[in-house]
Amino acid sequence: MSTVVVTGGAGGIGMAICRRVVEAGHLAVAADVAVAIEAHGGADEPGVSFVEMDVTDRASIERAVASIVAEGHTVTGLVNCAGVLRDTFLGSLSDDDMRFMFEVNVAGMARVTDVVAPHLVDGGAIVNIGSLTGQMGRFVGASVYGATKAGVAGYTRYLAMELAPRGIRVNNVAPGVIDLPMSRSMDAISGGPVESAKHVPLGRLGTAEEVAEVVEFLLSSRASYVTAQTLLVDGGFIAW
């Protein structure tokens, strides 16, 4: 059976993607750091297996992918969902926070793809998880995070061109304000989740499941002629 590898798979959006992939008839491998897997609680997730992976450590990625391949999985999809957000307000920039965001959000995505791509079947698909912050600048204090997510969009376009000869499609899903724990920079525009919803034309925050639905579509043959695209899942937030 076909398998989709999801980095950051033990998190809110990552696990929603894993579950949606399983509903679509695939197996899912939730690849994440040990503390995130433990925080998930080790609950039984039918069709989902867990593997420890630190996207900042190539050796960790190679061990994880080797174990996936050794178990006989046919990898048809990769979702680069691992990501971190740290506030970077001017005047209080932390070099460690900036490095960490680039290491996970951009370099980590590239490392994982570099290791997984040779095992990905021709005609498969990759979906990177970006953010509306990579498309606009309304969140004060999220400048460096937004820069990393703009990097995700750029990487997606280049990778799509490189993998097109193998029929592998690469797309970027950019969520808007999702109903998950937020940082101060995400709250700064309006003062919290309730106020944030007032800035969304649809009048509410998005859900992890709504993001997962779009990801599953892009992984599937229903999106067979879609590649190198960034698809916003933001309730219309960026339109005004």
Side-chain angles (χ1 to χ4, degrees), residues 5 9 17 19 24 39 44 56 69-70 81 97 103 105 109 126 150 190 199 223 228:
V5 177
I17 292 170
R19 290 169 179 155
D44 183 32
T56 69
V69 173
C81 188
D97 284 348
E103 275 295 301
N105 299 355
M109 170 185 60
I126 296 173
S190 59
H199 294 263

Side-chain angles (χ1 to χ4, degrees), residues 57-234:
D57 181 353
R58 179 176 285 270
S60 171
I61 298 167
E62 291 173 343
R63 285 194 299 271
V65 173
S67 70
I68 293 168
V69 173
E71 290 177 3
H73 290 278
T74 299
V75 182
T76 59
L78 167 65
V79 181
N80 285 304
C81 188
V84 293
L85 168 60
R86 300 288 185 272
D87 297 319
T88 51
F89 294 97
L90 287 177
S92 60
L93 292 178
S94 163
D95 285 351
D96 287 342
D97 284 348
M98 287 190 288
R99 277 191 293 265
F100 188 48
M101 280 190 282
F102 274 101
E103 275 295 301
V104 174
N105 299 355
V106 181
M109 170 185 60
R111 285 190 200 94
V112 172
T113 304
D114 192 55
V115 176
V116 173
H119 303 285
L120 190 62
V121 300
D122 289 357
I126 296 173
V127 178
N128 300 320
I129 304 301
S131 169
L132 85 167
T133 59
Q135 312 291 315
M136 45 83 85
R138 291 172 62 188
F139 292 98
V140 177
S143 57
V144 177
Y145 177 74
T148 68
K149 291 305 184 177
V152 171
Y155 178 79
T156 296
R157 292 189 293 271
Y158 277 92
L159 189 64
M161 298 303 99
E162 189 167 351
L163 291 177
R166 292 178 53 194
I168 295 174
R169 297 172 296 101
V170 187
N171 290 289
N172 173 34
V173 170
V177 186
I178 305 303
D179 192 11
L180 292 168
M182 299 180 189
S183 76
R184 287 191 301 121
S185 56
M186 293 295 100
D187 287 345
I189 185 173
S190 59
V194 173
E195 289 300 314
S196 291
K198 297 178 181 178
H199 294 263
V200 181
L202 288 183
R204 62 176 178 83
L205 304 186
T207 68
E209 289 71 25
E210 288 173 314
V211 176
E213 189 69 30
V214 176
V215 171
E216 190 277 321
F217 164 72
L218 290 172
L219 289 170
S220 76
S221 60
R222 306 192 308 279
S224 58
Y225 203 53
V226 182
T227 194
Q229 301 303 306
T230 290
L231 182 54
L232 284 153
V233 184
D234 69 345

